[in-house]
Amino acid sequence: MNPVYITSIGKFLPGDPVGNDEMEDYLGKIGGKPSKTKRIILERNQIRYRYYAMDKEQKSLYSNAEMAALAIRDALERNGNVTERDIGFLATGTTRPDLLLPGFASMVHGETGLPVMEIASHAGLCASGTQALKNAYIQIKSGEHQAAISCGSEFYSREFKHTKFEAQGIYSNSRIPFDTDFLRFMLSDGAGAAVLQNTPNPTGLSLRIEWIDNKSFANQYEVCMYSGMNKEDGISSWHDYPSIHEAADRGALNMKQDVRLVNEISKVGVIRFLELVEEGRFDPENIDWMVCHYSSHFFKDELFKLLELGGVHIPDEKWFTNLYTKGNTGAASIYIMLEELLNEGHLTEGQQLLAIVPESGRFQTSFTLLTVVGPSAGA
């Protein structure tokens, strides 16, 4: 089996950073009224800036596939050891592709203009970005391909523009519920991409992938973050409404977060973390960077408390996130965090990183152990 290295990482963040006071200038005020819950949500998540791929008239400036392609181009431009012809595999992850069909990877491949290659689309929420990474990792490790690209990309903002909710009959005389308003001020846009090879970058640092652990806990929990149904309607899918119009009018297509369940994600993540330690997969003492995609500062505090209860103490200075300045970009978040660490000089040879992505959709965890290596690692 071949060693696998991330030899370059790229990102794309659309437009200028958007501060908290400007958010409703882009998303719009539903019914002309500012959100009553915005302040509370922002106080809990502590996000100060994020990026939107639409303007203040709610017009899209990019497609989701275009953002993914731009992140891929950035990753390739940062890599002097790979050409377009070398890439044999592309895996993508996203929550909302631009089209229902074909798959997101097809659209991204078309946007990049890369040569004919094998592709795979991963759909879901935050963990879909790591699922794409693992698929690319397996392709290199098995020898099926020598170079691959994985990416995560999200265009959330267009889900939350005011006109969408104003057109829904269910909310014509009332405010949208907290489970949807909550997400309006949590999620934002962006894309990240990684180039994977069976040899390290000959001119700079690489991240050797030691292992990737993806686990679903859907057998233990009901749906928490979702789109395509209303729990209160008792209809299991938007397809089962009499018409698409009625499904939309009932708000079944809106993205929602079951706030009664969402706190369970911290517990699920910590339990799997402690299991991996027990299995001997890594030693917390040897981790130099905990690169954790938590969607809100609130969950960081919860993780700290639960880890302490489990007998594990990891100093605050070892935790890395750019949530507060780059926003919660779902499947792209882990790429955007690793990109900053690798490309802005934070890493040194020999360090170990544990990249963590908990997902609240129906509860998944993704853990990736990475080692920082220099050009001689493959000698």
Side-chain angles (χ1 to χ4, degrees), residues 1 12 25 43 55 63 65 70 79 89 105 153 168 198 211 215 244 268 287 302 316 318 322 340:
M1 302 293 275
F12 179 73
D25 294 340
E43 283 177 356
D55 61 21
S63 70
L70 288 165
N79 194 320
F89 183 79
S153 184
Q168 295 172 7
N198 58 8
W211 48 258
K215 289 290 185 291
I244 293 176
V268 170
I287 300 300
E302 288 296 299
D316 186 68
K318 288 190 174 184
N322 50 23
E340 184 171 327

Side-chain angles (χ1 to χ4, degrees), residues 70-121:
L70 288 165
I72 289 169
R73 283 292 167 194
D74 185 38
L76 288 170
E77 287 169 6
R78 292 177 181 276
N79 194 320
N81 190 45
V82 69
T83 69
E84 292 185 3
R85 295 187 303 277
D86 297 322
I87 306 299
F89 183 79
L90 167 67
T92 64
T94 191
T95 300
R96 281 282 213 240
D98 301 299
L99 305 178
L100 295 174
L101 295 170
F104 188 57
S106 291
M107 301 307 294
V108 173
H109 183 208
E111 286 291 339
T112 63
L114 292 170
V116 172
M117 64 176 63
E118 185 179 355
I119 62 172
S121 301

